[in-house]
Amino acid sequence: MSFPEAPSWRRFTSSRESGPRPAPYLIGAAEVDVVNAALHLRRPLLVTGFPGTGKSSLAHAIAHELDIGPVLHWPINSRSALQDALYRYDAVGRLREANLRRGRQQTEPGIGNYVRLGPLGTALVPSNRPRVLLVDELDKGDVDLPNDLLTVFEEGQFEVPELARLPEDESTVEVLTDDPDDRIPVVRGRVRCAEFPVVIITSNGEREFPPAFLRRCIRLDLPEPNEERLRDIVEAHLGTAALADIDDLVREFLGRRAPGELATDQLLNAVFLRKGGVDLEVSGLLDAVLHRLGRMV
Ligand SMILES: Nc1ncnc2c1ncn2[C@@H]1O[C@H](COP(=O)(O)OP(=O)(O)OP(=O)(O)O)[C@@H](O)[C@H]1O
Ligand SMILES: [Mg+2]
C-alpha cells in the first residue's frame, strides 16, 4: 500500500506560509468592510466565531491579499506572557559561550546573538510594509494578558533593557527575530514600529475581554457558512469536479450542524475522502469525520 497524498490544507511545505495560498479564502462583502475598517484605522481586528469558521485562516488570507506574508504567529495558551512575545534574552547561553571562549582566549560573543524578538516584537520592527501578526486564541490566555497587550498596542514600541544599558559605542546591536535567519539592528534598545502592524486576534469566546481592550479593537464575528458558501469553499479547496455527488454529504453536514457543533473543514475532510474513493457509509466512517464538537466525554 502506498502512502496517500495529503489534502492541500494538511501540507507543511514552506509555501504554506510565504508562497501562494493553497486555496482562496471566501469572505462576504460585509466582513470585508470590517477588515478594511481595521486596516484603515490601524486597529487590531478581534475575530470571533465558532470553531472552523475561518478565524485563523483570515490572517493568512489578509497577508496573501496585501502581499505582506509570512504571518507572524503567536499561539496563546495559559502560560503565554507578553514578555516572551516581545523578546527573549538567553543570558545563560551567553554566559556558557563566554566561559568557553575565555578558556580558548577568544573574544566574548556579542549580545545580539542571544536576543531574539518574539512574534509581537518582530511585528513592531520598523518597516514601510507592515507585517501581519496573528494572536491566536487570546481567550486561552491569562486574564491579565489583554490589558498587558493594550500598552504595547497603544505605544507601538517597547524597550530591551539589556541593550538600552550598553555603552555608547554599542548603541546599535543586530538581534535575531521571529523569522528564521533574519537579523535587524536595534538602536539604544528601543524597537518602535513605523506602521502599526496588521494585528488579527482570534477568540473562541471562552473568556470575556475587558471593555478597555474591546474599545481599542474592531470586532468581526464570522458567521457559520450557509450552504452556498460551503459549496464554494469545497470548490475552492478541491476543485469544481469535487462538487459532483456531494449533495448527500452537504445535507448530512447541515443536518448534523447545531450551532458551533461542526466545523467547515470536517465537510472538506469528508469530500476529500470520497474523492479519493473511500466509501463513507461503511462502519461509521461518516460519524468519525462529521463528529459533533464539544461532545467529547
Ligand atoms: N471562508 C473560508 N474560506 C476558505 N476556507 C475556509 C473558510 N472558512 C474555513 N475554511 C477552511 O476551514 C479550515 C478551518 O479554518 P480555521 O482553522 O481558520 O478556523 P478557525 O475559526 O480558526 O477554527 P478554530 O476556532 O478551531 O481555531 C481551514 O482549512 C480553512 O481553509
Ligand atoms: Mg483557529
Side-chain angles (χ1 to χ4, degrees), residues 44-173:
L45 183 69
L46 174 59
V47 189
T48 49
F50 289 121
T53 43
K55 300 183 294 297
S56 308
S57 315
L58 176 61
H60 296 276
I62 293 173
H64 182 81
E65 205 56 48
L66 299 175
D67 197 16
I68 50 175
V71 172
L72 293 160
H73 191 199
W74 183 18
I76 304 292
N77 60 42
S78 58
R79 297 175 306 284
S80 298
L82 180 74
Q83 180 59 52
D84 295 338
L86 289 173
Y87 77 95
R88 283 177 194 248
Y89 172 47
D90 181 7
V92 176
R94 186 168 178 228
L95 191 66
R96 200 181 301 132
E97 181 67 21
N99 283 337
L100 274 175
R101 291 198 188 187
R102 222 170 283 139
R104 295 191 217 122
Q105 319 277 303
Q106 291 169 330
T107 50
E108 293 199 6
I111 187 170
N113 293 322
Y114 299 89
V115 174
R116 183 181 288 279
L117 304 187
L120 176 57
T122 305
L124 294 173
V125 168
S127 150
N128 309 334
R129 294 180 74 69
R131 296 288 295 269
V132 176
L133 170 67
L134 170 60
V135 184
D136 213 7
E137 310 201 355
L138 183 61
D139 54 330
K140 307 286 186 299
D142 184 83
V143 66
D144 290 328
L145 192 53
N147 280 331
D148 294 346
L149 269 173
L150 271 189
T151 318
V152 182
F153 284 164
E154 284 301 289
E155 296 181 354
Q157 62 174 333
F158 65 99
E159 193 188 57
V160 183
E162 292 86 348
L163 301 182
R165 54 179 176 249
L166 291 174
E168 190 60 30
D169 61 338
E170 290 179 65
S171 61
T172 303
V173 178

Side-chain angles (χ1 to χ4, degrees), residues 9 16 23-27 47 49-58 136-137 140 202-204 222 225 229 232-233 236-237 263-266 268 293:
W9 57 95
R16 193 175 189 233
Y25 185 81
L26 299 160
I27 183 169
V47 189
F50 289 121
T53 43
K55 300 183 294 297
S56 308
S57 315
L58 176 61
D136 213 7
E137 310 201 355
K140 307 286 186 299
T202 74
S203 166
N204 276 353
L222 285 181
R229 174 67 57 79
D232 288 347
I233 292 175
H237 279 83
T264 308
D265 46 344
Q266 290 178 276
L268 289 174
L293 310 172

